[in-house]
Amino acid sequence: MRALAGFAFILALAAAPTWAEETGVLAPTEVLERIEAGGDAAIAIAAADLDIARARMEEAGAALMPNVSASMSGTVYRPTAHYAYPKDNADSFGGLEVVQPLFDFGRSRALQDAEDKSAQAAEMALVTARDTVLLEGLALYFDLHASELEVRALNEDFTSAYLHWDRAKENLALGRASPVEVAETLADAEKARHVYYRERSRNAGYRLRLSELMGADLPDELIAPPPPPTAKPADIDRDAFVARTLEANPEILALVRESEAAALRREGTGATPRVEGFAGAGYSTRPLRGRNDYEAGVRMAWPIFDGGLTAAKKSRMAAQESRVHSRLEARKNEMRRRALEMVMARDDAYQRVIAALARQDFTAKNLLRRQQLYDQERVADLGRAMIDHTAAEADLVRATGQFWLVQARMAVMVGEHPGRGLEEGFLAAAVGADEGGEGFVPKAGTGFGQNDQDEFKRRETLQ
C-alpha cells in the first residue's frame, strides 16, 4: 500500500505541470515550491558556502583527535668500520606513532566553536539567499499576471486607435476630414502600437525569468490571478513585530553568529603551551643500542617568543570582531526602521487594494451600461469602456500582488518562510494583534469592501 501511495504521489507530481499548462492556472504556492525545488545560482552559491563552513568545522574538530602516523625507510650505506663489519651495509626501518592532544588551554576548542558559529552563519545566509530568490519569483508571478491583462488592454487600445485612423482615412476620401486629422489619428495609432509592443516585450522578460527560476515552461497564458484579501488585516503590535524581527531575522542572526565566531577566534589565538601524549613502536634490521622497540610519554611545546606574531594576530582579530559588531548594530538599526516601514506599507497596500476594487467596480458598471446602450443602438461602439475595465483589472492584480508581497517580506523579516505571508491572519497570530485602547474607534475611510458598505452612515457625536 505504501508503494502504491508513493507511485500515485509521483504520478500526481508528474501530471501537475501538464494540468497547469493546459488550464493556465498557477497558484503562488506552487511557484514557490518549484523555485525552491529547482534552485538558483544564488542558492547554489550559498549552499556551497555552507559546505565550506561545515568542512572547516570538521577541520577544527580534527585538532582534538588522535593522530596516527606510520613511517618506513630503507637505506644502503657503508659504515666507517667497513673492514670490521663487511656485511653491515643496508638497513630497513618501520615505525608507528600515536599522538593525542591533551591540553592546550582551550585554543583548539575555541577554534572549533568558532567554526561552528561560522557554519550557523552560513546556514542563515543560505536561508536569506533562498528567501531573496523566492521573493523575486513571487514578484515576477504577480507582475506577469498583471502584464497579461495589461497586454490585453493595450492591444484593445491599439486596435481602437487603428480603427479611428482607418475611419479618418475613409472620411478624408469623402471630404469629411482633413489630412491633419488623419495624421493625428495615425500618430495616436503608432504611439498605441509602441506602448503595446513595449509591454509585450516586458511580458516576455517576466515570463523568461520566472521560467528560469521555476525550471519549467509556463502556460501560454496565465488566467485566474490570485484574489485580493477578503478582509482588512488585523493591526499588529508594532513593538512586538520589531522585537521579533531583531531576534529572528536570518540576516541579523548571521551577523550575530559571525560576531561570536570572531570573538572565539580571538580567544583561541595565544602563545599558550600545548600538552600531548604520544606512543610509538618501531623495528629495524640493524641492531643499535640507541633505538627503542617502543616508547610512550607526555611532551609539552611552548612558543615563548615569536617576534610579536601572535600579538599581531590577536590585534587583527579584535579589529575584525569590532567590524562585525559594528555591522551588526547598523543592520539592527536598519531592520528596526524597515520593520516599522513594512507595517505602514501593509496598510498602504491594503488601501491600494480597496482603491483598485472601487475602480474595477466602476469600470465594470460603466462597461455594462455601455453594452446596454450599444444593444439599444444608441452608441456605435463600446468606446474605452472595455479598455478601461481591463486596465482596472490589471491594476487590481498589481495592488493584490503588492499586498501579498509585503506580507511575504514581513514573514521573511521574522524568520518565516515567504509562503507563510500568503496566509491571512498569519502576522497577527505570529507577533500578536494590537488590542488598542478603550473607547470608541470610528471607521476609517468609506468602508468600501466591507460587509456594511451599502448601509447608510451618519456622523455620530459622542456625549
Side-chain angles (χ1 to χ4, degrees), residues 45-46 53 79 287 379 388 406 428 438:
I45 293 173
V379 294
D388 292 340
V406 170
E438 298 181 358

Side-chain angles (χ1 to χ4, degrees), residues 44 47 55-56 155 198 225 238 247 293 306 347 379 385 392 425-426 430 462:
R56 292 180 61 180
N155 186 24
R198 184 177 58 188
R238 296 190 179 189
E247 70 182 17
D293 292 335
D306 57 2
D347 295 337
V379 294
F426 157 69
L462 294 179

Side-chain angles (χ1 to χ4, degrees), residues 17 25 33 62 75 114 124 153 169 180-181 207 271 299 309 348 403 417 452 461:
V25 178
E33 290 172 0
T75 309
M124 295 297 102
K169 289 192 299 181
V180 176
E181 294 174 342
R207 182 177 295 273
R299 59 194 176 202
L309 179 61
D348 296 341
F403 176 81
H417 191 278
D452 58 346
T461 305

Side-chain angles (χ1 to χ4, degrees), residues 257-315:
R257 299 296 179 266
E258 289 181 14
S259 178
E260 294 172 349
L264 288 169
R265 288 192 183 95
R266 177 178 54 80
E267 294 174 1
T269 302
T272 55
R274 178 181 178 87
V275 181
E276 58 188 17
F278 66 93
Y283 175 78
S284 174
T285 58
R286 187 182 187 189
L288 293 175
R289 294 181 62 186
R291 286 182 177 169
N292 301 321
D293 292 335
Y294 64 88
E295 60 181 356
V298 178
R299 59 194 176 202
M300 180 184 71
W302 192 348
I304 297 177
F305 179 73
D306 57 2
L309 179 61
T310 301
K313 285 183 178 179
K314 288 183 72 71
S315 298

Side-chain angles (χ1 to χ4, degrees), residues 142-143 146-147 150 228-229 232-233 344-361 391-406 409 448-449:
F142 285 108
D143 286 340
S147 182
E150 189 71 21
K232 184 180 185 301
M344 294 182 289
R346 189 181 68 145
D347 295 337
D348 296 341
Y350 181 74
Q351 182 55 43
R352 182 182 176 183
V353 170
I354 294 299
L357 283 170
R359 178 70 180 176
Q360 185 200 40
D361 182 63
E393 289 182 332
D395 186 60
L396 177 59
V397 173
R398 288 194 180 93
T400 301
Q402 180 184 2
F403 176 81
W404 291 122
L405 275 173
V406 170
R409 290 191 180 101
F448 181 82

